[in-house]
Amino acid sequence: MLSQINLAALAVVSAAEESGEAAVNPWVIGGVALGFLLFLLLALVWFGGGREHS
């Protein structure tokens, strides 16, 4: 059990110490996520726009 904890801690530390540039720019990821969410919002408004309220 103790060796699993040490192995997990080592993996976290080694991942945190990775140097270098990100493979994809974080602004690109954010822009794609924002565009996708805005598309979903517009689709929701479009889908519910012609329905009568009860």
Side-chain angles (χ1 to χ4, degrees), residues 23-42:
V24 180
N25 190 345
W27 285 97
V28 173
I29 301 294
V32 169
L34 179 63
F36 180 68
L37 291 174
L38 286 175
F39 170 74
L40 289 178
L41 178 66
L42 289 175

